[in-house]
Amino acid sequence: MAEKNADKYATKLEEYADSLGGITPIQRKNRKSLWIALGCIIGVVALFSIGFLVGYFGRTSKDHNKTCNSDQESKEADDKIHFEDFHHIFQQSVSVENLEAVMREFSSKPHIAGSLRQLDLANKLVERWTEFGFDKVEKPEYRVLLSYPQPSQPNRVTLIEDGRAIYNITGKIKISPGPDRTQTFDHYPYLAYAHNGTVEADLVYANYGGEKDFQKLSEMNVTVRGKIVIMRSRRVWNAEKHGAAGALVYTDPSFSAQQGYGSNQVYPNSWWLSSDGVQEGTILYGSYNGDPLTPVLPASKGMYRRPVNESELPKIPAQAISYGDAMELLRRLGGAEAPENWQGGLNITYHIGPGFKSSSAKIKLEVNNRLQEKTIYNVVGSIVGREEPHRYILVGNHRDSWAFGAVDALSGTTVTNEIARLLGTLVKKGWRPRRTIKICSWGGEEFNLIGSHEWVEENAHILAERAIAYVNLDVAVCGDYVLRARASPLFKQVTYKWAREVKNPDNSEGSDTIYDNWLKRSPSDINSSEPMIYNLFIASDYASFYQYLGVPCADFGYWFGYGSKSSLYPVYHSQQDTFYWIKKFVDQNFEVHKAMTQFAGGLVLDLADQPLLPYDIMNYAQALNHSFHVLNSSPKFLANGISLSVLQDAVTGFLYASKQFESRKSKLAIHKSPLWLRNLNDQMVSVEKAFIYPYGLPGKIQSRHVAFNFGFHNLDPIKATFPGVTEALYLAETSNDWNLVRKQVSIAVYSVQSATRVLQLPMK
């Protein structure tokens, strides 16, 4: 081959020489021999050179690869130091002055969903987040069905005796941001979506209006059919189901004024609700969250809207009243004395009725609410991720309130806006998250989780693929007592971490961190050496992310406490939920808001920047195992010939697969290959999604999470396990349809097995 190439090369050289001038044949022959020899020498040298270069550069390439790997590891180490430095800047830069200023500004006027004030607040957030440096700030809008009182015809409750009114409750009051403010507003307390109409009937006291309460009334031979029910919760749907003609709802001082309701013991002199405070809210509890007219579809332009009479709206009139007004009715009530555990905080003896001590007395209820299609607005700000732009970390809360709403929901807005400001500061300093962060301000939550649900419906396919966490801060601060956490078990590790990182805002008892205080005041009922994390249910904007799509979610707030017990705050959903209330009685220096910003912001940054998501599958498996044992403790299964052995085997298999996964994960994560990390992260997130049953659970088609949720008729957060099964058990008690239970057990088995298969996917 070398000779052949040399000969070819010599001929070319000869032709080139001929072109320079003529030569004799003998000269040509001699020169050709010389060129052939020279070509052979050049060929040998070329082959030697090629061999040398291959060897040299082969060794150099190996050395270069080693250097590149070393450089990559060094770069990853530098990146870690880099983003952790930025995280430290975040923690040190939280401003109590900014927190207080936003709260004061946003809570200065009422801002119910659909109002011009709500649009104004949405525009303020768009402007601010744009100035902070977000890559995109959007304002999605939806046309939805809301419900309002009519100022020209306020709702009214009248106690009539012998044809004349002896006590009037008019649904119109004056409200103010605080006793130190001169500005007042006309306000019309009501229950959203309560049916229009006028009813005159006897009154029956039904305690909290729960199913067991109505059963107790039945045992006492008291019927509510055709009567007006008075109760201390908004379970109007239950009163309607049992045949009530109307409902009155109040918040009892046993919750809202536990130290007494004298004027010096309540708002504005104390944090307890005064006797004229009215707790409002929605009574829409149908099969669907979101807009009543557009189930399954987003309420955007051009979408089909079903007729109002098909929209599962309440069918009886109902009205919210104060406990001061409730006392005037209850103290006149006749009938048997209420059971001891039905006696409330009013300084009277509670009776059941029906009717009053005066046989001629009746209650007249007039409700004049109007249904109206209105536009609501979300605000969604995005900072696009550097390495994984199509993986989303979302944090949000709603913006609408029944009146001033300083706690609910502006404590959340205050915290999320401060998180947004600080993220913008980091971006301007050169930071960019590994994954995309979206901060969300929802509209219309108070009516039926409308804003968040419509956005989830509109973006369901994208979110199902890309969303890997949603952190909710609805009521971020309603007290200074203890952290309250509801979360997917995946969040346990990162939640405990950040509770340990942030100093407790109240160190009066010597607690150093949020975690220390949390453990002391709210230990877990399952393991007393850990703080309590409750299951998620359907009470706030995380519901659609978690129950509908299976996005891992958490909800955090610093809660109110009294008598060594945490609880919702006493002025909840009332006109006394003001800046004055929170500044005077809960968070004078906004240190609690600061701590919640540091806690939630640190957690969000970890989710956004850590190459390996801070989730732990073993925590999920242990929670699922506990859920099974709670379920298995019910004797109803065995009594009706239903075996849980296959479900037990599935849970045991998931426990084993989780243990194996965590072991392999710890080894593979060391290599830090982007593909390996992506695979590990996707597997962990997909475990949550494996528990989504696409056809919904009994009676609640949009609640699709099979493992963790409050059973619809079981509100105990400890026993809220396998909700489809527990709901089927409840329904079978009256329908005797035990095949429904068997079906739900099978769905649970299928879901657990699916989650196990997710963990067993190839990891190479």
Side-chain angles (χ1 to χ4, degrees), residues 605-622:
L605 282 171
D606 258 7
L607 290 166
D609 273 340
Q610 293 289 353
L612 184 65
L613 287 171
Y615 289 155
D616 191 318
I617 296 297
M618 275 307 298
N619 288 328
Y620 205 102
Q622 289 163 359

Side-chain angles (χ1 to χ4, degrees), residues 290-320:
D291 173 39
L293 300 182
T294 57
V296 182
L297 296 171
S300 51
K301 185 177 180 180
M303 291 296 173
Y304 169 76
R305 284 162 169 77
R306 64 181 177 179
V308 171
N309 61 2
E310 297 178 9
S311 299
E312 303 179 78
L313 301 179
K315 293 180 173 59
I316 63 173
Q319 175 64 10

Side-chain angles (χ1 to χ4, degrees), residues 149-358:
Q150 295 193 64
S152 61
Q153 291 181 289
N155 298 339
R156 187 182 300 272
V157 180
T158 308
L159 177 58
I160 299 173
E161 186 175 357
D162 294 325
R164 64 186 180 87
I166 63 171
Y167 192 79
N168 281 304
I169 306 170
T170 302
K172 178 181 179 179
I173 57 178
K174 288 283 187 182
I175 63 174
S176 167
D180 55 343
R181 305 286 292 276
T182 58
Q183 187 178 21
T184 62
F185 302 86
D186 289 336
H187 187 68
Y188 303 87
Y190 78 117
L191 296 172
Y193 300 106
H195 187 69
N196 281 4
T198 300
V199 179
E200 187 174 322
D202 287 334
L203 190 67
V204 175
Y205 172 55
N207 196 26
Y208 288 100
E211 190 60 32
K212 291 182 179 179
D213 294 327
F214 285 105
Q215 289 175 3
K216 183 66 176 178
L217 287 172
S218 180
E219 291 169 7
M220 299 176 71
N221 295 317
V222 175
T223 180
V224 301
R225 187 165 296 279
K227 309 295 193 299
I228 295 173
V229 169
I230 185 170
M231 53 191 182
R232 40 183 170 165
S233 83
R234 285 182 278 124
R235 297 178 187 173
V236 174
W237 76 90
N238 222 12
E240 179 184 314
K241 184 181 79 171
H242 286 274
L248 301 176
V249 172
Y250 78 102
T251 176
D252 196 89
S254 57
F255 160 74
S256 59
Q258 296 179 41
Q259 289 179 290
Y261 45 87
S263 60
N264 64 324
Q265 297 171 298
V266 296
Y267 185 90
N269 299 308
S270 177
W271 57 21
W272 300 109
L273 184 72
S274 69
S275 61
D276 59 348
V278 183
Q279 185 189 105
E280 302 174 64
T282 186
I283 58 170
L284 179 62
Y285 293 98
S287 302
Y288 299 93
N289 294 328
D291 173 39
L293 300 182
T294 57
V296 182
L297 296 171
S300 51
K301 185 177 180 180
M303 291 296 173
Y304 169 76
R305 284 162 169 77
R306 64 181 177 179
V308 171
N309 61 2
E310 297 178 9
S311 299
E312 303 179 78
L313 301 179
K315 293 180 173 59
I316 63 173
Q319 175 64 10
I321 63 175
S322 68
Y323 67 78
D325 285 330
M327 183 171 67
E328 292 300 321
L329 304 180
L330 290 169
R331 71 182 181 85
R332 293 178 167 90
L333 204 57
E337 190 172 311
E340 184 177 353
N341 62 347
W342 287 30
Q343 299 294 323
L346 292 169
N347 190 24
I348 60 172
T349 299
Y350 290 63
H351 287 256
I352 289 174
F356 295 93
K357 294 172 184 177
S358 170

